Amino acid sequence: MDAVAPEYVAARRVLLDALEAMTDHLPSLILVGAQAVYHHTGKTDLNVPLMTTDADLAIDTRGLADVPEIGAVLRGAGFVPGPNPGHWVAATDVAVDLMVVPHQAGTHRESARAARLAPHDRLTARIARGLEPALVDHERVTIGALEPVDDRTFDLAIAGAAALLVAKVIKISERLGQSDRQPDRLKEKDALDAFRLLQAVETADLVLGLTKHRSEPNAAAVADEAVQILRLHATSPRGRIAHLAASAAGGDATVAPAFAALCNDLLAALR
């Protein structure tokens, strides 16, 4: 059974620190990334611990308040901006990444990396494609610490399982395209997180989520792209994404065939 790695405990603690600093902006924040994945999947029978070293938050800029200024409150809570926009590093070296989808980024420059959220700090958030479905597919839950000495809780939106699957697949696809030039950008763990979602979440529930994404054009386009990527790279045990998941599971020979079978079930259900 999965254990909770100490890095994950620390990442949750820093996430709560960031939420505490940005309390006034909680209605505009959505938890994405591995911590959101684990909310949906819990522990599985994979012999790989639940582990993440950071926290990821999407900002829905619709209704985002001008005050308090996000950069100022994060700095006041001990965070410093990292080398990339939206990367805020705590004193413990654990980071929180703040992201904004392209159509809310305030700029149409293809080369832009930082979202323009004036009057908020220019380093507040980076532009991240693939999170569009999370803006229409999420639920509010109470989130707390992973250690008994910390009793803080926050009501926070968490991206739905289908939205997280789309985000992971888009991220993997982008990094596959970069892997020839930047092999270190390709993270096997992203594929394993996608497998966790396919394994733990009922196919019917993933279909419902993907159907929900069709309610918004930007979400629909990204979700359709993710489905095509799965069809190309994950419907066979030899597919690149299925292979990446197996590698992340320590070469477990059952993972790639199971990944392919679950993808085929999902695609058949969508048809």
Side-chain angles (χ1 to χ4, degrees):
M1 292 294 289
D2 287 336
V4 178
E7 293 90 344
Y8 180 21
V9 175
R12 175 59 60 85
R13 185 187 314 126
V14 170
L15 169 64
L16 299 183
D17 292 342
L19 296 178
E20 190 169 31
M22 295 188 289
T23 297
D24 293 319
H25 296 298
L26 284 180
S28 297
L29 302 178
I30 304 167
L31 184 66
V32 294
Q35 294 202 45
V37 170
Y38 301 155
H39 166 77
H40 289 283
T41 66
K43 297 180 179 180
T44 70
D45 58 2
L46 286 169
N47 190 30
V48 181
L50 300 178
M51 204 280 284
T52 185
T53 58
D54 59 13
D56 298 316
L57 291 165
I59 301 176
D60 186 346
T61 64
R62 296 171 298 182
L64 178 66
D66 289 346
V67 293
E69 197 276 306
I70 293 174
V73 296
L74 286 174
R75 287 183 174 87
F79 289 86
V80 296
N84 299 311
H87 191 68
W88 294 90
V89 185
T92 56
D93 287 332
V94 178
V96 172
D97 286 308
L98 302 183
M99 293 167 283
V100 173
V101 296
H103 69 276
Q104 292 188 349
T107 177
H108 296 292
R109 286 196 305 116
E110 291 188 6
S111 61
R113 299 173 65 204
R116 295 179 179 176
L117 304 179
H120 297 288
D121 192 303
R122 63 183 179 84
L123 296 175
T124 294
R126 69 177 174 86
I127 303 170
R129 186 168 174 272
L131 298 176
E132 291 86 346
L135 303 187
V136 297
D137 178 12
H138 57 259
E139 60 177 350
R140 298 202 74 83
V141 303
T142 299
I143 188 169
L146 297 175
E147 48 198 339
V149 295
D150 189 344
D151 61 359
R152 292 177 296 172
T153 60
F154 297 91
D155 290 331
L156 179 68
I158 295 187
L164 293 166
L165 179 62
V166 168
K168 287 291 181 182
V169 171
I170 293 295
K171 183 177 179 182
I172 294 165
S173 178
E174 289 178 348
R175 292 187 173 182
L176 282 172
Q178 300 165 353
S179 61
D180 289 341
R181 303 186 313 277
Q182 299 172 287
D184 60 323
R185 293 277 291 162
L186 190 58
K187 306 297 184 185
E188 295 175 343
K189 180 180 172 296
D190 289 323
L192 189 62
D193 284 345
F195 177 61
R196 288 183 190 275
L197 288 163
L198 288 165
Q199 188 181 45
V201 181
E202 293 290 340
T203 298
D205 292 332
L206 292 173
V207 170
L208 284 174
L210 290 164
T211 302
K212 185 183 295 184
H213 303 168
R214 297 189 178 281
S215 66
E216 199 281 321
N218 296 286
V222 169
D224 286 346
E225 181 179 342
V227 168
Q228 293 304 317
I229 292 166
L230 286 174
R231 182 172 284 113
L232 287 171
H233 296 296
T235 53
S236 162
R238 296 180 298 278
R240 295 186 73 181
I241 296 177
H243 178 73
L244 282 171
S247 296
D252 186 334
T254 68
V255 170
F259 198 125
L262 290 165
C263 277
N264 282 308
D265 287 347
L266 176 60
L267 295 175
L270 286 171
R271 285 196 295 270

